[in-house]
Amino acid sequence: QVQLVESGGGLVQPGGSLRLSCAASGFSYSSYTMNWYRQAPGKEREFVAFITSIGGTHYADSVKGRFTISRDNVKNTVYLQMNSLKPEDTAVYYCNRMAYWGQGTQVTVSS
């Protein structure tokens, strides 16, 4: 079965950094584009970044230059390095492969 398990969220101050991880299993991981989305309370789920099977990346304008998505095809893990965090980055962050979602990991950016 397909499983996506996020980790690495937490509480950080504005300007701080976090690295989120998504451990994937149950499918041919290296063949799929992997995505990060986020959702703040009362708001729609928002695209953050994707990385293709061959390493191409794309970012939402709101995180471009601050976040970096990467993947390790040996560990079957996708990462989201988040730098220069802002309060508006506060959300639950979800790992996604087309049609499948993880449970999410909470990121809170606050003083």
Side-chain angles (χ1 to χ4, degrees), residues 62-82:
S62 58
V63 307
K64 196 172 300 179
R66 300 187 297 120
F67 291 11
T68 303
I69 188 171
S70 61
R71 67 193 298 162
D72 185 332
N73 289 345
V74 174
K75 296 181 178 179
N76 286 358
T77 301
V78 182
Y79 303 96
L80 186 68
Q81 178 67 47
M82 305 185 295

